[in-house]
Amino acid sequence: MNRKRSIQIAVVAVIVIVVVIVVLCIRGCRGGGTKGQPIVIEVSLRAGDELAMSITVDPVASLAGDMAMDPDAPDQLFLGPELIAAIEKGLGDHSVELSRGVTGPEDIGAVIIERITYTGQGRDGVLKRIRLSADLPGPPRRKTPEKAAIGVDDSTSSLYDVLPWPEGISWTLTGDDKLKVTSGKTVLELAAGESGALGEITAEIPVSIEEVDDTAEIPDGDDVKLPTVKRDLGKVRFTTAISVRYLGRLKIAEDKQ
């Protein structure tokens, strides 16, 4: 009887161990960090262009500016009070995307930081965007437009979104907690703190801009349609150099300043 009971206990123990292993494997495949210690990945873009014009965009305050990393605390990710309040309310902005299931800092399992540095003839400046997810999401994806036609009522700032992109980028966490990034023939395996380049993507697309013709005579009266003129810039070369940095699993800390 005792021997039979011992066998039963052993069987139950084996089942428990198997269940634990399966759960850990599923968690590893999903790629989420532990509570309060998300996986952090930084995707850096260097965007160039040969635009025969200059674009000026006034900087706009954003929630992404309320998240920071301190060189003196490389294992921590600081969230400011405005960003924390926005997360709890489920309200992002143009710079912060909240995935389903993230209702507080403790729900964040992955942070994707996107830094775009514009160094072209027409575009300059730096943009920062972040994505907060419960689990590891896919890499950023963009569609290269076939053309850019800016209407008279459109903002030329839309040209900031012209970022040539490879057909497919994928990433996953390996069993030894490295980030494996694949883009075409390029394969990177990054340990925490390491970075690698995915190369430069180039596209030439036609660009045209419709503007008010300030040389034409404007008729008097109400609801007058202003005369416009179309500037055809021809095919303009745009480039995007992409690199990925894997920061590993960082602790979330509240920045009260």
Side-chain angles (χ1 to χ4, degrees), residues 23 28-29 62 135 139 143 169 184 232 252:
V23 170
C29 291
S62 65
D135 298 304
K143 184 177 180 180
I169 301 177
D232 189 353
I252 289 181

Side-chain angles (χ1 to χ4, degrees), residues 137-160:
R141 297 185 182 275
R142 286 184 171 82
K143 184 177 180 180
T144 305
E146 296 181 357
K147 63 179 180 179
I150 313 299
V152 69
D153 295 325
D154 300 328
S155 172
T156 54
S157 64
S158 60
L159 291 172
Y160 272 74

Side-chain angles (χ1 to χ4, degrees), residues 12 14 30 81 87 126 142 147 165 211 225:
V12 170
V14 170
R30 291 173 66 190
I87 294 172
V126 178
R142 286 184 171 82
K147 63 179 180 179
W165 209 253
E211 300 174 318
K225 186 176 181 181

Side-chain angles (χ1 to χ4, degrees), residues 7-254:
I7 293 175
Q8 290 175 337
I9 293 174
V11 170
V12 170
V14 170
I15 292 174
V16 170
I17 292 172
V18 171
V19 169
V20 170
I21 292 174
V22 170
V23 170
L24 291 175
C25 288
I26 293 174
R27 185 182 183 85
C29 291
R30 291 173 66 190
T34 57
K35 285 189 176 182
Q37 196 169 351
I39 295 163
V40 182
I41 303 172
E42 187 176 74
V43 181
S44 296
L45 315 178
R46 194 169 185 85
D49 64 68
E50 295 180 353
L51 283 165
M53 59 179 293
S54 180
I55 305 172
T56 302
V57 178
D58 295 330
V60 178
S62 65
L63 287 173
D66 211 29
M67 187 186 75
M69 288 178 286
D70 188 344
D72 295 329
D75 63 333
Q76 296 186 55
L77 182 69
F78 293 91
L79 305 185
E82 290 186 11
L83 180 55
I84 291 176
I87 294 172
E88 292 174 345
K89 294 177 182 177
L91 300 174
D93 66 357
H94 64 280
S95 68
V96 173
E97 179 185 345
L98 302 175
S99 297
R100 182 177 299 177
V102 176
T103 59
E106 68 280 358
D107 298 323
I108 301 173
V111 178
I112 310 301
I113 305 171
E114 193 176 46
R115 299 184 189 275
I116 309 175
T117 303
Y118 293 94
T119 60
Q121 296 183 28
R123 305 174 299 177
D124 61 9
V126 178
L127 292 179
K128 176 182 174 184
R129 297 170 179 161
I130 61 176
R131 182 179 180 185
L132 306 177
S133 301
D135 298 304
L136 180 62
R141 297 185 182 275
R142 286 184 171 82
K143 184 177 180 180
T144 305
E146 296 181 357
K147 63 179 180 179
I150 313 299
V152 69
D153 295 325
D154 300 328
S155 172
T156 54
S157 64
S158 60
L159 291 172
Y160 272 74
D161 292 327
V162 180
L163 297 166
W165 209 253
E167 289 188 3
I169 301 177
S170 62
W171 59 33
T172 185
L173 285 177
T174 63
D176 52 357
D177 210 28
K178 291 184 178 181
L179 182 70
K180 183 177 181 180
V181 186
T182 303
S183 177
K185 296 181 179 180
T186 302
V187 179
L188 306 173
E189 282 204 12
L190 307 175
E194 293 183 338
S195 61
L198 297 180
E200 184 176 272
I201 310 299
T202 300
E204 292 188 358
I205 66 172
V207 178
S208 63
I209 300 175
E210 185 182 11
E211 300 174 318
V212 173
D213 186 359
D214 54 9
T215 66
E217 182 178 349
I218 300 177
D220 296 328
D222 297 330
D223 298 328
V224 173
K225 186 176 181 181
L226 297 176
T228 62
V229 61
K230 184 177 180 180
R231 293 174 55 196
D232 189 353
L233 304 184
K235 284 192 174 182
V236 178
R237 186 172 183 263
F238 293 86
T239 60
T240 307
I242 306 171
S243 61
V244 178
R245 181 184 176 203
Y246 177 44
L247 286 85
R249 302 172 188 267
L250 305 185
K251 298 176 184 177
I252 289 181
E254 184 177 352

